């Protein structure tokens, strides 16, 4: 499978394209979701997951740093292309997997887009954390019995019921007298 093939349900991938466009063309592309889909050669995309911007906006961080720090790209993958990423000038398009809405696609990008690299994103660590609180432990004596209600709680519930009854009684009395 090539970096231009998008398998069903793809997650955690970033594709970076260099744009061979004028500033005005690239700026127009950055503001038009439909144009982004056309540029990638796909029928539809989720525009929130496609970024088009000039590399000079990343001054100090650089594109490689932006991918690692801003998008949690696997540093090892990014370092493989660090010199290519560092040499880029002009505009780039950064496309996250979520842009493709979990569809099977084959990208057919505009000839003015050049694929620079395809990078994995760090996954979420789903390792369970042991719970040490005694309240989190299961009821092993098997009785499953709940604590009985306290006298104060019972008194409060009775008082609330009496007050509600009186409120309804007074309201009905006022309506009948009026």
């Amino acid at each position: 499978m090539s970096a231009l093939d998008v398998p069903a349900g793809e997650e955690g991938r970033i594709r970076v394209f260099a744009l061979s466009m004028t500033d005005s063309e690239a700026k127009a592309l950055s503001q038009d979701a439909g144009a982004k889909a056309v540029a990638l050669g796909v029928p539809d995309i989720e525009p929130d997951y496609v970024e088009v911007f000039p590399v000079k906006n990343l001054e100090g961080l650089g594109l490689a740093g932006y991918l690692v720090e801003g998008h949690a790209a696997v540093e090892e993958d990014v370092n493989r292309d660090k010199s290519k990423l560092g040499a880029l000038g002009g505009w780039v398009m950064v496309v996250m997997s979520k842009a493709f809405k979990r569809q099977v696609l084959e990208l057919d990008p505009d000839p003015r887009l050049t694929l620079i690299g395809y990078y994995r994103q760090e996954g979420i660590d789903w390792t369970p954390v042991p719970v040490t609180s005694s309240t989190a432990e299961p009821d092993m004596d098997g009785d499953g019995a709940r604590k009985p209600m306290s006298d104060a709680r019972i008194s409060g519930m009775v008082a609330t019921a009496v007050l509600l009854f009186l409120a309804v009684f007074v309201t009905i009395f006022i309506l009948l007298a009026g």
Side-chain angles (χ1 to χ4, degrees):
M1 175 191 327
S2 78
L4 297 177
D5 294 330
V6 180
E10 179 185 270
E11 289 186 10
R13 302 283 186 255
I14 304 168
R15 291 168 179 82
V16 177
F17 295 89
L19 305 182
S20 300
M21 301 178 172
T22 65
D23 283 347
S24 61
E25 289 173 324
K27 187 173 184 175
L29 179 64
S30 73
Q31 298 169 350
D32 184 354
K36 290 175 187 174
V38 169
L40 289 167
V42 295
D44 188 31
I45 58 168
E46 182 62 48
D48 294 341
Y49 298 102
V50 179
E51 300 175 317
V52 177
F53 57 87
V55 175
K56 68 182 178 184
N57 287 358
L58 301 175
E59 187 177 317
L61 183 60
L63 187 53
Y66 175 69
L67 293 172
V68 171
E69 299 296 324
H71 287 290
V74 174
E75 194 166 0
E76 178 183 311
D77 290 359
V78 174
N79 286 341
R80 183 186 62 231
D81 293 339
K82 197 168 191 171
S83 60
K84 276 198 295 187
L85 294 168
L88 288 176
W91 289 70
V92 294
M93 178 184 281
V94 177
V95 184
M96 278 78 53
S97 293
K98 288 185 178 183
F100 304 119
K101 302 179 182 179
R102 304 179 63 83
Q103 302 173 65
V104 174
L105 296 169
E106 184 175 329
L107 303 181
D108 183 22
D110 183 302
R112 298 174 296 169
L113 274 67
T114 304
L115 180 66
I116 300 302
Y118 173 71
Y119 310 101
R120 295 173 294 149
Q121 288 179 293
E122 296 281 350
I124 297 174
D125 182 8
W126 292 103
T127 305
V129 177
V131 180
T132 57
S133 170
S134 63
T135 58
E137 293 186 20
D139 181 14
M140 299 306 280
D141 38 339
D143 62 3
R146 293 173 43 170
K147 284 185 172 179
M149 284 191 253
S150 70
D151 290 339
R153 182 172 176 193
I154 293 171
S155 298
M157 291 171 62
V158 169
T160 302
V162 169
L163 288 173
L164 286 173
F165 173 76
L166 289 174
V168 170
F169 181 74
V170 169
T171 303
I172 291 172
F173 186 73
I174 291 173
L175 289 175
L176 290 176

